[in-house]
Amino acid sequence: MKKKAEAEKENAERWMLTYLDMITLLFVTFVVLYAMSVVDKGKFEALAESLSAAMGSPAESTHGPGTGPGKMVDAKAAPLTAVPVQSKKARSPLYDKAYDILKSSVQEKRLAVRQEERGLIIEMGAQVFFETGSAELPEGAMSSFLPVAQMLASLPNAIQIEGYADDLTKGVTSKYANNWDLSVQRSITVLGVLQDLGINPSRMSVVGYGSSHPLVSNETPEGRAYNRQVNIVIPYMASDK
């Protein structure tokens, strides 16, 4: 009887050892899973920034007409895209051709190239911001249009010139009736520059958005400066898509 009792006691102890082994393995498993789930925030942010820089994509989304409220921009550091943000598959042949010609100006942040469903957008930088209430280009702005004219001359597409204005009302000495008139005159000024640089005027048309479609918020002087500009739109042709 003594041997039988000892055998039963030994079997009970083996069950406890198996149970303890299982609990230990479960504990180790949960520790490993927890360690895998903990992300180093600093490293993650650094990785995100490096990927963003490599892809040329800013943290904020790109802007366009009507997306202004809530976004403020330094006129000297406008949100111009330094490199193409679209993947090669998503980019149109027109985008690649324009970017190749304008690459130096884009990298210097003198202008930006982006594509929308309607076509290619050439966004002029701070060197082409107009003064308040004025449709005359600032001194030195002509140099920003030289590569643009070269690029436009290489294309058969139509050209639409879109003028903008800030939300300030006209002064008592202003020669423009309102911001609509002012924005159209800014477009006409740019049309004249491109014509002088050899672009056929029959390809061009002008649009004025006034202050109703701000590119960025008008809540700061920098935002207002950014809204006193002209964008050049190149609508897609069937062969560009």
Side-chain angles (χ1 to χ4, degrees):
M1 293 296 294
K2 185 176 180 180
K3 289 183 178 180
K4 184 177 181 180
E6 289 178 354
E8 290 177 354
K9 181 178 179 181
E10 184 177 354
N11 289 335
E13 290 176 351
R14 286 181 177 176
W15 180 86
M16 287 296 295
L17 289 173
T18 302
Y19 177 78
L20 291 174
D21 287 342
M22 182 182 67
I23 294 298
T24 301
L25 289 173
L26 285 173
F27 175 77
V28 171
T29 300
F30 282 118
V31 169
V32 172
L33 290 173
Y34 175 78
M36 292 173 64
S37 68
V38 175
V39 178
D40 186 323
K41 185 177 180 181
K43 291 182 178 179
F44 179 80
E45 291 178 349
L47 176 61
E49 291 177 0
S50 64
L51 289 174
S52 178
M55 297 176 67
S57 177
E60 291 186 9
S61 61
T62 56
H63 58 279
T67 61
K71 294 179 70 178
M72 301 180 188
V73 181
D74 183 345
K76 294 182 180 179
L80 301 179
T81 305
V83 295
V85 297
Q86 294 88 359
S87 67
K88 185 174 180 60
K89 184 177 180 180
R91 295 195 308 261
S92 69
L94 179 62
Y95 182 98
D96 287 334
K97 183 173 183 178
Y99 184 82
D100 286 343
I101 297 174
L102 301 174
K103 185 175 180 180
S104 296
S105 296
V106 172
Q107 291 177 341
E108 294 170 3
K109 295 192 174 182
R110 297 177 69 86
L111 53 83
V113 182
R114 56 188 171 87
Q115 63 180 24
E116 297 179 353
E117 290 186 7
R118 58 179 177 152
L120 200 69
I121 314 297
I122 308 300
E123 180 182 307
M124 307 308 294
Q127 295 82 4
V128 190
F129 290 174
F130 292 85
E131 295 296 326
T132 301
S134 173
E136 296 181 5
L137 284 169
E139 185 178 355
M142 182 67 72
S143 60
S144 295
F145 287 103
L146 293 174
V148 175
Q150 178 189 356
M151 183 271 294
L152 294 175
S154 69
L155 302 173
N157 304 58
I159 303 163
Q160 182 167 292
I161 303 169
E162 299 181 341
Y164 297 86
D166 59 28
D167 61 347
L168 298 178
T169 56
K170 68 184 184 70
V172 293
T173 59
S174 175
K175 58 183 178 181
Y176 306 106
N178 49 48
N179 279 332
W180 291 98
D181 183 19
L182 176 60
S183 64
V184 171
Q185 291 299 322
R186 286 171 174 168
S187 295
I188 292 173
T189 297
V190 171
L191 183 149
V193 170
L194 294 177
Q195 182 177 354
D196 290 343
L197 292 174
I199 305 302
N200 191 330
S202 65
R203 297 176 56 194
M204 296 187 281
S205 61
V206 296
V207 175
Y209 286 111
S211 57
S212 63
H213 294 281
L215 294 167
V216 296
S217 173
N218 277 308
E219 295 178 0
T220 66
E222 292 80 11
R224 289 193 181 97
Y226 194 75
N227 286 325
R228 298 193 296 269
Q229 68 163 300
V230 168
N231 286 346
I232 299 172
V233 181
I234 308 169
Y236 289 132
M237 300 173 65
S239 59
D240 295 325
K241 298 181 179 180

